[in-house]
């Protein structure tokens, strides 16, 4: 158990809908990262928050948004869902503001299926 | 942009044997970190080993070791005495800042 909790584990929804994925980082970790793992794109970085502030953005679509709350949990909002958004969404956390030299602990992911 | 390439989509190894997974990367940075992550069927991403680019000595973690060739931008993972539990997807990853850039992965099968 990495200590990072993601809910829900599985989500099935229809095209055009909106969903929210939730991540609770390890106790004491201030950074939260979101990654998308799809069959054709592999693992891609979406966004990084540190202590409530956005630190870095990757290939995140405009239909997607995220935030980190004062209690440090994070939510990833996906709207106007398309079939191609079906993927495994990972959250990872680490203590410091960057991931470079500190181990990032990954949650078990949320499997999103858009039908 | 940094890229990470794993040229072996699948590898297989006999139990107790040794296998090497390949990874190359492209970067103009001089200071960065490289990682190997394991993803078993449970989907959990587990850090296997980490290498700091400014360290010439290759990292080792029990049965796992790397061959880091900075000039060649190569970072291979050697698994010795392979065990059935080593069967998983293995991802090479690079970090020079705020995010990990992953390779496409190598599926490792371990034959009993």
């Amino acid at each position: 158990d990495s200590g990072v909790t993601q809910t829900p584990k599985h989500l099935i929804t229809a095209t055009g809908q909106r969903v929210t994925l939730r991540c609770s980082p390890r106790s004491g970790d201030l950074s939260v990262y979101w990654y998308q793992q799809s069959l054709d794109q592999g693992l891609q970085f979406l966004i990084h928050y540190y202590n409530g502030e956005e630190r870095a953005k990757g290939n995140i679509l405009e239909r997607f948004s995220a935030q980190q709350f004062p209690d440090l949990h994070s939510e990833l909002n996906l709207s106007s869902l398309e079939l191609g958004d079906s993927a495994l969404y990972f959250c990872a956390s680490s203590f410091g503001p960057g991931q470079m030299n500190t181990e990032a602990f990954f949650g078990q992911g949320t499997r999103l299926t858009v039908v | 942009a940094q890229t990470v390439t794993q040229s072996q989509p699948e590898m297989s190894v006999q139990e107790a044997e040794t296998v090497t997974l390949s990874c190359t990367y492209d970067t103009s940075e001089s200071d960065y970190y490289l990682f190997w992550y394991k993803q078993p069927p449970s989907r959990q991403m587990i850090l296997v080993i980490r290498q700091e680019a400014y360290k010439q000595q290759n990292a080792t973690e029990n049965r796992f070791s790397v061959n880091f060739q900075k000039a060649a931008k190569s970072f291979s993972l050697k698994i010795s005495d392979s065990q059935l539990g080593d069967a998983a997807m293995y991802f090479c990853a690079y970090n020079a800042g705020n995010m990990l850039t992953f390779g496409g992965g190598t599926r490792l099968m371990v034959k009993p």
Side-chain angles (χ1 to χ4, degrees):
Chain A
D1 183 6
S2 67
V4 180
T5 304
Q6 288 188 249
T7 56
K9 285 189 171 51
H10 302 275
L11 197 49
I12 301 175
T13 190
T15 55
Q17 294 299 303
R18 182 179 188 276
V19 298
T20 297
L21 312 183
R22 182 187 169 102
C23 170
S24 294
R26 284 191 329 150
S27 177
D29 283 356
L30 301 175
S31 274
V32 169
Y33 312 80
W34 286 97
Y35 290 85
Q36 179 194 57
Q37 184 178 24
S38 60
L39 284 175
D40 57 346
Q41 296 289 327
L43 268 155
Q44 290 209 322
F45 168 73
L46 295 178
I47 200 163
H48 167 213
Y49 277 85
Y50 174 72
N51 204 19
E53 292 189 1
E54 182 185 303
R55 280 297 185 108
K57 233 174 189 178
N59 295 322
I60 187 166
L61 299 171
E62 283 191 16
R63 301 183 285 107
F64 295 2
S65 65
Q67 55 183 327
Q68 186 180 27
F69 294 86
D71 67 352
L72 301 175
H73 91 272
S74 177
E75 293 181 355
L76 179 66
N77 300 297
L78 315 176
S79 61
S80 302
L81 285 166
E82 302 174 0
L83 296 178
D85 297 327
S86 296
L88 188 54
Y89 290 85
F90 280 107
C91 167
S93 75
S94 67
F95 173 72
Q99 203 173 13
M100 189 160 75
N101 60 349
T102 59
E103 181 174 351
F105 294 85
F106 281 78
Q108 288 201 300
T110 293
R111 169 74 70 187
L112 173 66
T113 303
V114 183
V115 297
Chain B
Q2 293 85 9
T3 57
V4 179
T5 303
Q6 294 178 247
S7 59
Q8 307 150 316
E10 279 192 4
M11 292 282 286
S12 68
V13 63
Q14 205 72 34
E15 197 176 4
E17 296 294 309
T18 295
V19 64
T20 299
L21 308 184
S22 301
C23 173
T24 58
Y25 58 96
D26 186 26
T27 184
S28 57
E29 303 286 341
S30 58
D31 189 18
Y32 51 87
Y33 281 68
L34 296 162
F35 306 83
W36 279 97
Y37 278 88
K38 171 185 177 181
Q39 187 179 40
S42 67
R43 309 181 317 193
Q44 182 77 50
M45 294 290 287
I46 302 165
L47 178 65
V48 174
I49 200 164
R50 166 177 39 208
Q51 175 76 44
E52 301 165 55
Y54 64 86
K55 285 190 177 179
Q56 292 190 342
Q57 187 173 5
N58 290 323
T60 299
E61 288 287 343
N62 300 313
R63 299 182 295 108
F64 299 88
S65 61
V66 299
N67 183 3
F68 173 49
Q69 302 289 330
K70 190 172 184 179
K73 295 179 182 173
S74 169
F75 182 60
S76 60
L77 174 69
K78 186 171 84 171
I79 306 174
S80 304
D81 185 25
S82 296
Q83 300 175 1
L84 295 178
D86 294 334
M89 283 291 291
Y90 285 82
F91 292 94
C92 177
Y94 161 99
N95 194 338
N98 272 314
M99 64 181 186
L100 287 167
T101 300
F102 287 90
T106 296
R107 181 173 302 280
L108 178 66
M109 294 173 286
V110 181
K111 299 177 183 176

